[in-house]
Amino acid sequence: MPSISCIIVSYNNEIVLKDAITSVINQTLPVTEIIIADDCSTDNSRELIASFAHKYSQIQPIYREKNIGVAANRDLAIRSAQSKLITTLDGDDWYSSRKIEREFIAMKNTPGVVAFSDVYLAHKDIKHSRVLDMSEFASLERRERLRWMVNNVVKIPRDMLIPKKLYLDVGGIRDSFATYEDWEFKIRLAASPNQWVHSGIVGSNYRQTDSGLSKMSLLKHCQDQYKVLIANHELLKEHLGEHEFWLAVAEVLMRAGRSLFGIRSKLRKLRNLKI
């Protein structure tokens, strides 16, 4: 049986955390270690985690004494994992039952690969829910894969099954980014020569909410995406070239400009209101 660790990070996810934990416990391929890293929640998450840990010996709780942010919480928890293979899950999402089994099957004959699945975007209004088909990503060579990653922040693989050694080799998740830290890590991961393989199924279920990144303004999104690209200037210049790097930056700046134009338009309308 393969040695696999799943790292669940959570902050005040008491209402939905049970679904996340249960979805990992009920995998058709058993998970050796389930690390649940609670980032100093103020709800009853810790009591829930403790009850699961009491019942299931593979669950290893981590209780942060202060809130350190999702990037540092996830990175430290991954580094503490004991297995050679790791995968991750947010505390408000859940896995399909065969996610890990199918990803392991896809990768087992090729050492050092990254295995991933399709993603179901679960919107509170079921009419707006949809599946992101990621299969095309597996056919891309490194340059095209990196180009895809740089120019997309939504339709990219998530919760991949990867060797822990590979995670460490590319530098892990950097806690210097308050947002888009996952995208920033995946850019560096996509630049590695390792092959990416697709499981053929929907593996992760992403719960879309009105909190977190959804609350941020478009301008703030663009500012944070810009920081990620600038931080990886040398890497992207090496693999994509200076021209493509600045094209990617320009696209982000154009979105920021459209956001500012929209703000200005609203201000003009407000000034023209007769009170």
Side-chain angles (χ1 to χ4, degrees), residues 1-18:
M1 185 179 297
S3 175
I4 298 173
S5 292
C6 176
I7 293 85
I8 302 175
V9 294
S10 180
Y11 174 66
N12 286 347
N13 291 134
E14 175 193 1
I15 296 175
V16 292
L17 182 57
K18 180 179 178 180

Side-chain angles (χ1 to χ4, degrees), residues 131-270:
V131 172
L132 296 182
D133 182 349
M134 300 290 183
S135 57
E136 182 182 354
F137 199 82
S139 65
L140 303 177
E141 298 297 330
R142 175 163 54 171
R143 181 183 175 86
E144 288 71 28
R145 181 173 69 223
L146 184 56
R147 182 183 292 121
W148 179 308
M149 194 69 76
V150 165
N151 291 291
N152 290 276
V153 294
V154 176
K155 193 177 179 182
I156 54 177
R158 59 180 294 120
D159 305 324
M160 302 87 67
L161 182 64
I162 68 173
K164 181 181 177 181
K165 182 180 183 302
L166 176 58
Y167 176 85
L168 297 175
D169 286 347
V170 299
I173 295 170
R174 295 170 175 166
D175 62 9
S176 54
F177 297 94
T179 61
Y180 288 101
E181 76 290 334
D182 196 42
W183 181 52
E184 194 275 336
F185 164 70
K186 289 173 187 175
I187 286 174
R188 286 182 281 116
L189 186 63
S192 73
N194 302 69
Q195 181 183 351
W196 292 55
V197 293
H198 185 248
S199 72
I201 66 166
V202 172
S204 295
N205 300 273
Y206 175 73
R207 198 185 306 269
Q208 294 183 293
T209 66
D210 296 325
S211 60
L213 288 179
S214 300
K215 281 188 172 182
M216 282 173 47
S217 69
L218 176 59
L219 182 59
K220 182 68 166 79
H221 278 282
C222 293
Q223 288 174 336
D224 291 350
Q225 292 165 19
Y226 173 81
K227 290 177 184 177
V228 166
L229 293 177
I230 293 299
N232 288 282
H233 180 196
E234 292 302 318
L235 175 76
L236 296 175
K237 182 174 70 172
E238 176 186 352
H239 294 286
L240 297 180
E242 190 80 12
H243 178 69
E244 283 207 40
F245 167 76
W246 288 111
L247 281 177
V249 170
E251 179 62 33
V252 171
L253 294 176
M254 286 173 62
R255 289 199 298 270
R258 289 194 292 269
S259 176
L260 284 172
F261 179 78
I263 293 171
R264 292 192 183 105
S265 297
K266 290 178 182 178
L267 287 173
R268 282 195 294 269
K269 289 179 181 178
L270 286 172

